[in-house]
Amino acid sequence: MLGRGQLCGLPSALTLPALRQAVATVAASRLPEFFEELQQAFVRAGDEDSVVLIRMFYQRWGVVVEIERYPERAQRLHAAERAVDSPDPDVRAAAILEAGEIVRAAHREVAGG
């Protein structure tokens, strides 16, 4: 069941098919970026003989989905990202705080609460 203003649910398990479907639902324009990073993660993981980079890939894109599945939250983050370029230091500082809060909350949610 979806919450208010929610485009899709967060996959219960961050599997590649579930994550790919979630990205396609909430941020379809970012699929090329998703696949490019997926390929890079797997190549580097093989080169380094470690799955850490694959886990980081899943975490990163889980956070993207967590943010983007709530359009209002995504809009706030994107506005904050734009405001970081403001010539006004107070606007920049507020934007950094806003973006940080949104991203940290998404990380907590993806980590399970």
Side-chain angles (χ1 to χ4, degrees), residues 7 15 17-18 22-23 25 27 29-30 33 41 43 52 56 64 67 75 85-86 91 101 103 108 113:
L7 294 177
T15 64
V23 171
T25 299
S29 66
R30 295 188 68 185
E33 178 186 0
V43 168
V52 171
M56 289 172 55
V64 168
I67 291 167
Q75 289 171 357
D85 293 330
S86 172
V91 170
E101 288 173 7
V103 171
R108 283 191 302 274

Side-chain angles (χ1 to χ4, degrees), residues 15-90:
T15 64
L16 185 56
L19 200 52
R20 180 180 55 234
Q21 181 60 48
V23 171
T25 299
V26 301
S29 66
R30 295 188 68 185
L31 278 172
E33 178 186 0
F34 173 86
F35 287 117
E36 177 66 26
E37 287 186 19
L38 172 66
Q39 182 176 359
Q40 290 172 1
F42 274 84
V43 168
R44 287 186 57 209
D47 290 346
E48 297 178 20
D49 196 27
S50 172
V51 297
V52 171
L53 294 167
I54 296 169
R55 288 186 182 138
M56 289 172 55
F57 167 83
Y58 282 103
Q59 177 73 22
R60 172 183 151 47
W61 284 94
V63 168
V64 168
V65 168
E66 178 59 27
I67 291 167
E68 296 292 335
R69 70 192 188 110
Y70 294 97
E72 289 179 19
R73 177 171 40 193
Q75 289 171 357
R76 285 186 10 245
L77 176 62
H78 300 310
E81 290 169 336
R82 289 187 300 276
V84 168
D85 293 330
S86 172
D88 183 331
D90 292 334

Side-chain angles (χ1 to χ4, degrees), residues 10 59 106-113:
L10 184 65
Q59 177 73 22
H107 273 279
R108 283 191 302 274
E109 191 64 31
V110 169

